[in-house]
Amino acid sequence: MDSAPEVAASVWRKDDEMMLKFSPCIEMLFTDLPFLERIEQVAKLGFGAFEFWGWNNKDLPGILRKCEEVGIKVAVFGISPREGRTAPIIDPRRRGEFLEAVRASVDVAAELGTKTLIVTTGNEIPELSRGEQRESIIAALTEAAPIVEASGITLVLEPLNTLVDHPGYFLSSSKEAFSIVGEVGSPNVKILYDIYHQQIMEGNIISTIETNIDKIGHFHVADVPGRHEPGTGELNYRNIFKHIERSGYQGYVGLEFRPSGPSAESLKEVLEIAGSR
């Protein structure tokens, strides 16, 4: 069984200075365990938060009970409708469905004490021009902004790579993503900057982060190639973490990777990299 040993791995302080706050994604970690047991394993490693993808296929009362039992928070999860799949925000014909999913997800976020919700665009729609789909994203997020602003929640729009994992996905460029949230113009609509996806698509990671940190509401990390834990590939995560910390970023850094070995060992490797900056 891939379970975490009893350790006191602090991700919060080093020499009395605040460190980055990490939230392991339990959709990809401890996958040999039932979902609620994964929460417990993350807490045993000393993490103060975790994250997952959609909520409408989860035992929400069970998640809340487990969080209270082990003293951990839900950092972020994805926008979902109460049933089925979320309508893509690139489709103006389904805007109402998307907004209903936002309202439902805001309600769930309030129950779980979560302040950040992930938005994805969906794959390109052949019968609509790229310009029409881009305008639909801006309009959908603009209409959703007052809903989340009233609840103190931030929506984070996620660009993904189209070269390895998500062929056909609409939004792959961080430059376009930052431009979109700039046009929306809400402090509660930002970007989920996934370092793995953006290394594949464009590189220039540290400069992009430092230039756009005010528009980043959440990070995801994994190494390239393979989407394994930091330290297994070409990215210098020790330096990347240092620059994120120096930027003054206050949110969570999501550990959304496929562990190359036991999940507990891979998570401890991340903590060692982060703690040796």
Side-chain angles (χ1 to χ4, degrees):
M1 179 180 294
D2 183 7
S3 60
E6 296 283 351
V7 297
S10 172
V11 297
W12 302 105
R13 291 186 178 274
K14 178 185 179 183
D15 298 330
D16 295 324
E17 295 181 1
M18 290 301 294
M19 293 180 66
L20 296 177
K21 299 184 298 183
F22 293 105
S23 58
C25 177
I26 60 172
E27 303 278 7
M28 299 184 75
L29 294 157
F30 300 108
T31 55
D32 61 328
L33 297 174
F35 194 81
L36 296 182
E37 290 184 28
R38 301 176 201 178
I39 301 172
E40 184 173 350
Q41 299 305 320
V42 168
K44 285 181 178 180
L45 282 170
F47 292 95
F50 68 97
E51 59 187 70
F52 54 90
W53 296 334
W55 57 264
N56 62 5
N57 61 347
K58 302 293 191 301
D59 174 8
L60 297 178
I63 291 174
L64 184 57
R65 285 194 303 272
K66 183 61 69 173
C67 287
E68 293 172 345
E69 176 188 328
V70 300
I72 198 168
K73 298 178 180 179
V74 179
V76 61
F77 59 83
I79 293 287
S80 305
R82 296 202 179 276
E83 295 181 356
R85 301 187 65 178
T86 304
I89 59 174
I90 53 176
D91 192 343
R93 300 162 295 188
R94 301 183 64 185
R95 176 97 25 85
E97 294 177 54
F98 170 70
L99 294 173
E100 281 302 311
V102 170
R103 293 186 185 96
S105 298
V106 165
D107 289 343
V108 173
E111 294 175 26
L112 297 179
T114 304
K115 293 298 183 181
T116 307
L117 297 173
I118 301 169
V119 181
T120 54
T121 67
N123 283 10
E124 291 182 288
I125 301 173
E127 63 266 28
L128 297 178
S129 71
R130 184 163 185 88
E132 288 175 308
Q133 292 172 83
R134 188 181 190 278
E135 287 304 312
S136 180
I137 294 172
I138 294 168
L141 293 175
T142 299
E143 290 187 47
I147 301 171
V148 294
E149 287 170 4
S151 302
I153 287 171
T154 298
L155 294 180
V156 287
L157 177 67
E158 185 174 20
L160 304 174
N161 86 76
T162 55
L163 298 179
V164 178
D165 300 283
H166 301 279
Y169 186 76
F170 180 86
L171 185 64
S172 61
S173 160
S174 72
K175 181 178 180 180
E176 183 172 17
F178 290 126
S179 174
I180 286 171
V181 299
E183 291 190 51
V184 173
S186 168
N188 291 65
V189 179
K190 296 190 176 188
I191 293 302
L192 193 172
Y193 190 80
D194 188 309
I195 294 169
Y196 164 78
H197 289 304
Q198 293 312 307
Q199 173 68 1
I200 290 172
M201 294 306 301
E202 55 194 36
N204 200 32
I205 298 299
I206 289 174
S207 178
T208 299
I209 290 170
E210 292 182 334
T211 302
N212 298 283
I213 193 63
D214 60 321
K215 294 179 181 176
I216 296 174
H218 194 67
F219 284 96
H220 275 165
V221 305
D223 220 326
V224 179
R227 202 175 185 177
H228 300 307
E229 65 270 16
T232 58
E234 66 195 23
L235 284 159
N236 182 352
Y237 266 106
R238 182 173 288 105
N239 205 31
I240 292 170
F241 288 154
K242 177 178 68 177
H243 282 271
I244 294 174
E245 186 175 359
R246 287 180 178 177
S247 76
Y249 175 73
Q250 297 295 309
Y252 286 99
V253 175
L255 304 179
E256 190 189 50
F257 58 77
R258 186 179 300 110
S260 61
S263 294
E265 296 304 315
S266 294
L267 287 169
K268 286 192 289 183
E269 289 291 330
V270 177
L271 294 177
E272 289 176 10
I273 290 172
S276 61
R277 298 189 308 288

